[in-house]
Amino acid sequence: MESHNHTNLDTSLFFLLGIPGMEQFHLWLSLPVCCLGTATIVGNITILVVVATEPALHKPVYLFLCMLSTIDLAASFSTVPKLLAILWCGAGHISASACLAQMFFIHAFCMMESTVLLAMAFDRYVAICYPLRYATILTDTIVLRIGVVAMMRGSILMLPCPFLIGRLNFCQSRVIPHTYCEHMAVVKLACGDTRPNRVYGLTAALLVIGVDLFCIGLSYAFIARAVFRLSSQEAQSKALGTCGSHVCVILISYTPALFSFFTHRFGHHVPLHIHILLANVYLLFPPALNPMVYGVKTKEIREKVIKVFVKGQGTGAKASE
């Protein structure tokens, strides 16, 4: 392990400490991180390959799922390699520019994911409330535009943060008690006026989490009203069943995000290692679990995954003959 005494560090460097108070468990914690990282890569690449190779899945709901998988992969590559380096050998050194870049991409990807989840809620709303107009409302062009909006929204909302941090002075410690360059963890190290950073960070988070959750809730309120107007109980169950995967993904994504958000800003008596563990749960679990949820609960994807693997095994068997 590298020494954690970094008072004479070059001023262009930060040091990511990992999980303070749990340094003796870092090697053990790397095991679930490796498992979750592997599950993220395998699961999301499988989703992308299956949807890309099966024309029957070239529908808006699955295209949105591909966007989600792409974002999850990108977010994982932004965090997991450095996290494992910290847990394995205490390699927490990170340049100021790399720290700001990591901060930008992690938070921007989280905002993009929230936008895609909102788009998926809108997709379910149109599919259930306006089934006859579904194909004309959610055309390929509209889906593409939604993807561009998701990317632009996350990027634009996060763009001011690195510049706001760039104006701050770090005259004391440059040791970040975290596993990645989280916005508020870096801001707390500054010795100048950090109110603009705090206000902007809170505003951006509320604009994304607050607005998206409200709109998702509104979509499902309209969906519930439409479903319970159906006369057949079988039709009600079928309609609600199409929303099951998306509801699970929303719970997986937003529950740790909200816990992390509120404990970081209002849980002043919550131990620091709990803050950091929650933040890592928020970044590591949803990307690993989302493909599993859709693979298990969505019949079309489940069947296509089995078909692709059976076809692959058949090709391998013929080649070996």
Side-chain angles (χ1 to χ4, degrees):
M1 283 287 184
E2 295 185 17
S3 172
H4 291 165
N5 183 13
H6 298 277
T7 54
N8 294 321
L9 272 180
D10 187 295
T11 55
S12 65
L13 290 177
F14 286 99
F15 186 83
L16 291 164
L17 196 57
I19 307 175
M22 299 187 69
E23 289 86 356
Q24 67 272 31
F25 301 114
H26 275 186
L27 279 176
W28 291 105
L29 289 171
S30 68
L31 296 177
V33 171
C34 282
C35 292
L36 290 169
T38 303
T40 297
I41 294 170
V42 173
N44 286 290
I45 288 179
T46 300
I47 292 288
L48 291 172
V49 170
V50 167
V51 174
T53 55
E54 291 294 336
L57 297 180
H58 294 176
K59 300 175 182 177
V61 62
Y62 302 117
L63 296 178
F64 287 135
L65 180 58
C66 284
M67 293 180 196
L68 193 66
S69 291
T70 304
I71 293 167
D72 284 342
L73 281 171
S76 180
F77 285 125
S78 299
T79 54
V80 173
K82 188 62 180 177
L83 174 56
L84 287 175
I86 294 168
L87 296 177
W88 281 338
C89 52
H93 292 95
I94 185 168
S95 68
S97 57
C99 186
L100 291 178
Q102 187 191 51
M103 178 196 306
F104 172 82
F105 285 116
I106 289 173
H107 292 296
F109 287 138
C110 291
M111 292 178 182
M112 293 177 201
E113 180 163 332
S114 182
T115 307
V116 173
L117 289 174
L118 173 58
M120 294 172 86
F122 177 69
D123 170 87
R124 292 299 84 202
Y125 164 71
V126 175
I128 292 173
C129 297
Y130 301 100
L132 300 179
R133 296 171 57 191
Y134 180 80
T136 56
I137 293 175
L138 283 170
T139 61
D140 290 344
T141 303
I142 294 298
V143 172
L144 178 61
R145 287 177 181 173
I146 290 173
V148 172
V149 168
M151 184 176 65
M152 294 297 293
R153 184 194 187 205
S155 301
I156 291 171
L157 281 174
M158 262 312 292
L159 193 59
C161 285
F163 293 102
L164 286 171
I165 287 179
R167 71 179 183 83
L168 298 175
N169 293 317
F170 296 89
C171 51
Q172 297 177 7
S173 175
R174 281 183 167 249
V175 177
I176 304 172
H178 216 296
T179 55
Y180 62 92
C181 290
E182 198 272 337
H183 176 246
M184 287 307 301
V186 176
V187 168
K188 286 178 179 178
L189 298 180
C191 49
D193 181 14
T194 60
R195 280 177 297 179
N197 302 74
R198 294 173 183 272
V199 170
Y200 186 81
L202 183 61
T203 303
L206 290 176
L207 278 174
V208 174
I209 295 177
V211 171
D212 290 0
L213 275 178
F214 174 78
C215 293
I216 289 170
L218 198 62
S219 296
Y220 275 100
F222 286 128
I223 288 171
R225 187 180 67 174
V227 167
F228 291 121
R229 284 180 176 177
L230 297 173
S231 56
S232 167
Q233 190 170 359
E234 183 180 350
Q236 291 180 357
S237 299
K238 186 177 179 181
L240 290 174
T242 63
C243 302
S245 300
H246 185 241
V247 171
C248 288
V249 168
I250 288 172
L251 292 174
I252 290 169
S253 298
Y254 281 111
T255 302
L258 289 172
F259 269 110
S260 178
F261 176 78
F262 285 115
T263 55
H264 200 77
R265 282 162 178 81
F266 308 112
H268 302 298
H269 301 294
V270 177
L272 182 59
H273 67 274
I274 299 297
H275 283 287
I276 297 169
L277 286 172
L278 284 172
N280 282 277
V281 166
Y282 168 49
L283 286 182
L284 295 173
F285 274 83
L289 296 180
N290 290 347
M292 297 181 192
V293 169
Y294 273 95
V296 170
K297 294 189 70 66
T298 307
K299 180 182 177 183
E300 292 85 353
I301 291 181
R302 187 169 63 247
E303 289 176 349
K304 299 302 180 184
V305 168
I306 293 171
K307 180 181 174 182
V308 167
F309 278 104
V310 168
K311 188 188 295 183
Q313 289 178 355
T315 304
K318 288 180 181 179
S320 63
E321 289 178 359

